[in-house]
Amino acid sequence: MRPWRGSPKRVGAGRVGVGRVGVGRVHLRWVHLILGGALLMPYFLLTQVAVGVIGGGVNALDSLPLSLIAYALCLPLVAATGLFGLVRPMAVAAARALCGVSGERFAEGPARTWAARGRTSAWWTLHLGIGALVSGISLAAPPMAVVLMALPFVSALRELPLGLGWFSTSAQPYAAPLLGAGLLAGVVLCAAGAGALLARLAPVLLGPTAADRLAAAEERAAQLAVRSRLARELHDAVGHALSAVTLQAGAARRVLDSDPGFVREALAAIEDTTRRTVGELDAVLGLLREDDGGGVADDGGGVAGGVGGGARGGAGRPAPAPTLAADLDGLLARSRASGTPITAHQDPGPAGDWDRIPAIVSREAYRIVQEGLSNALRHGAGPVDLRILVRGRGGHSELEITMTNERGAVAEARTTGGRGLRGAAERAVLLGGRVEAGPQEGRWRLRAVLPLGAGAR
């Protein structure tokens, strides 16, 4: 029996809570309507002055018909101002806070297309127009209702020439309180109905248009592209460094007693690798702190500043991204310090100069070579053969990178590669090229082809 007795109490409490939420929502929507009436006042005062001047200097506020004419004339002005793009964010903020409509159903930002501006103008006109009517009723009706409810008890009120028809001080004394209560109920019902109407129309008129959805999708795609770019940069820079440092440290440990010279070389390579990687990491993080002018906001310390500052460029800025022309030799030297033999064959083509390669192609090619060496050091066995050459002439030339090595035990189960190889393929695709990686004739081969004409554009 106890659970049965407790259940109605819980249900009743829930119903009371829902009731409180409903009353609070009506109250907020009423405030929203009053706000609309307040916003209409400048337009109304302007048109009532114009009506008074046209009417021969009469005061439009003293005449109900003239006041209604001024009200009707001010609505086109309201609709015209609603066409401004910045009206929508203000209307959305007010509707989201006071109408009780989920924020996800509203559009974000200013209205840019004429279709969105037209819908915003319709909402702006409805909000201010209906809000003005509800505001007028809310100001005029409650005092009259109080007078009617006090009429049987205050005889002096019966002598006042107030009201209109039944809702006046000449009404039957004992019927007047009922009329006053009905008047208050009517005000509440009008406010609740108008608020519900605006709440239903808000997502229709202030919701996202097809252009807004397209802009949001494009912004989301741009954000994902930036995240993918940062993920590739961090994976290639930090992942290669960790692999190289791990192998270099392991090789140095194995020959610590027998070959001190190799140990010193490995430690120097570890120091150089970490310093350069911290600089590259600082450059990647700088992409997250770019200001509107394209500069990089630095907090004074910087990531690279804590490691000798050797990886930073001038004026405290991060060092530029490594390129094939300037940094390939250092990359090969640091990779060889891990104990893995690497043979490199380079043919810059008819021009005979790596510096002639477009900068973006040189940067992406360096990252592709770096990823290929990382895979070879982690998963391969035996020496690595690297070939880089430029084929073709003029705008039809292309850079070809080929890297082969023996497949280690870890790589036997690998057929396509992980995130690094997918990132290398993405880099090539962005330049109009391609990357192929996989087993070939018992060896693991990575082949990348990057068009130089696309990079030059």
Side-chain angles (χ1 to χ4, degrees):
M1 295 298 290
R2 288 182 181 177
W4 182 85
R5 290 179 181 177
S7 299
K9 292 182 180 179
R10 288 193 294 271
V11 173
R15 289 176 179 173
V16 171
V18 172
R20 289 175 181 173
V21 172
V23 172
R25 178 169 297 176
V26 171
H27 176 262
L28 288 177
R29 290 176 178 174
W30 201 337
V31 172
H32 186 246
L33 291 166
I34 298 298
L35 176 62
L39 292 173
L40 185 82
M41 286 305 298
Y43 304 93
F44 176 74
L45 293 176
L46 179 63
T47 53
Q48 70 90 17
V49 169
V51 169
V53 171
I54 295 173
V58 298
N59 188 354
L61 295 177
D62 294 336
S63 171
L64 181 60
L66 292 179
S67 296
L68 293 177
I69 292 175
Y71 167 79
L73 292 177
C74 76
L75 293 181
L77 296 178
V78 174
T81 56
L83 294 174
F84 289 96
L86 293 178
V87 171
R88 188 171 72 173
M90 181 173 63
V92 166
R96 181 185 285 119
L98 300 175
C99 280
V101 182
S102 175
E104 292 77 9
R105 303 177 65 184
F106 291 111
E108 298 292 341
R112 295 181 174 86
T113 64
W114 284 110
R117 293 185 181 189
R119 292 165 59 179
T120 303
S121 175
W123 165 263
W124 188 246
T125 305
L126 283 174
H127 178 205
L128 271 62
I130 297 176
L133 296 178
V134 173
S135 298
I137 294 173
S138 300
L139 290 175
M144 190 64 205
V146 172
V147 170
L148 289 174
M149 288 187 289
L151 198 62
F153 311 102
V154 182
S155 58
L157 293 177
R158 302 171 196 168
E159 302 174 0
L160 297 177
L162 301 176
L164 180 65
W166 281 97
F167 298 101
S168 67
T169 53
S170 61
Q172 295 296 327
Y174 298 104
L178 296 178
L179 294 175
L183 188 59
L184 286 179
V187 172
V188 174
L189 290 177
C190 286
L197 175 64
L198 290 183
R200 181 177 292 273
L201 293 177
V204 177
L205 298 178
L206 297 179
T209 62
D212 293 324
R213 294 188 180 94
L214 179 60
E218 291 176 348
E219 182 180 0
R220 177 62 177 167
Q223 293 175 351
L224 292 176
V226 171
R227 290 177 57 183
S228 178
R229 175 189 175 192
L230 293 175
R232 286 196 304 267
E233 295 292 336
L234 289 174
H235 177 277
D236 292 347
V238 179
H240 172 79
L242 291 176
S243 298
V245 167
T246 301
L247 292 172
Q248 291 162 354
R253 178 181 55 81
R254 287 192 297 269
V255 298
L256 181 61
D257 298 325
S258 59
D259 193 349
F262 180 82
V263 173
R264 285 192 296 269
E265 181 180 350
L267 291 176
I270 290 173
E271 180 183 3
D272 183 57
T273 300
T274 54
R275 180 181 291 110
R276 293 182 61 86
T277 303
V278 169
E280 293 180 23
L281 178 61
D282 196 15
V284 174
L285 295 179
L287 297 175
L288 299 174
R289 304 194 300 268
E290 288 183 354
D291 57 18
D292 294 336
V296 178
D298 197 290
D299 55 9
V303 178
V307 189
R312 297 188 67 86
R317 295 181 180 273
T323 62
L324 191 69
D327 302 282
L328 178 61
D329 293 338
L331 175 64
L332 295 176
R334 291 189 298 275
S335 300
R336 290 187 180 109
S338 64
T340 300
I342 300 175
T343 303
H345 305 275
Q346 305 179 44
D347 182 1
D353 187 1
W354 291 115
D355 292 329
R356 294 178 180 271
I357 297 178
I360 185 172
V361 178
S362 186
R363 289 195 298 268
E364 300 305 317
Y366 176 90
R367 292 302 190 191
I368 292 173
V369 172
Q370 186 181 52
E371 175 57 29
L373 290 175
S374 296
N375 276 318
L377 297 178
R378 283 199 302 262
H379 309 297
V384 177
D385 182 70
L386 171 64
R387 298 179 182 271
I388 305 175
L389 58 93
V390 175
R391 300 187 306 183
R393 295 179 180 273
H396 300 287
S397 59
E398 58 186 17
L399 176 69
E400 181 178 352
I401 302 170
T402 306
M403 189 181 305
T404 57
N405 72 301
E406 299 292 337
R407 301 175 64 195
V410 177
E412 287 299 327
R414 293 168 60 90
T415 58
T416 58
R419 295 188 182 92
L421 292 179
R422 288 197 297 269
E426 292 172 358
R427 292 178 184 276
V429 169
L430 290 175
L431 295 177
R434 62 188 185 277
V435 169
E436 303 168 356
Q440 187 181 52
E441 298 179 358
R443 296 170 63 85
W444 181 271
R445 189 187 74 157
L446 169 68
R447 180 174 181 269
V449 178
L450 306 177
L452 300 182
R457 291 197 300 270

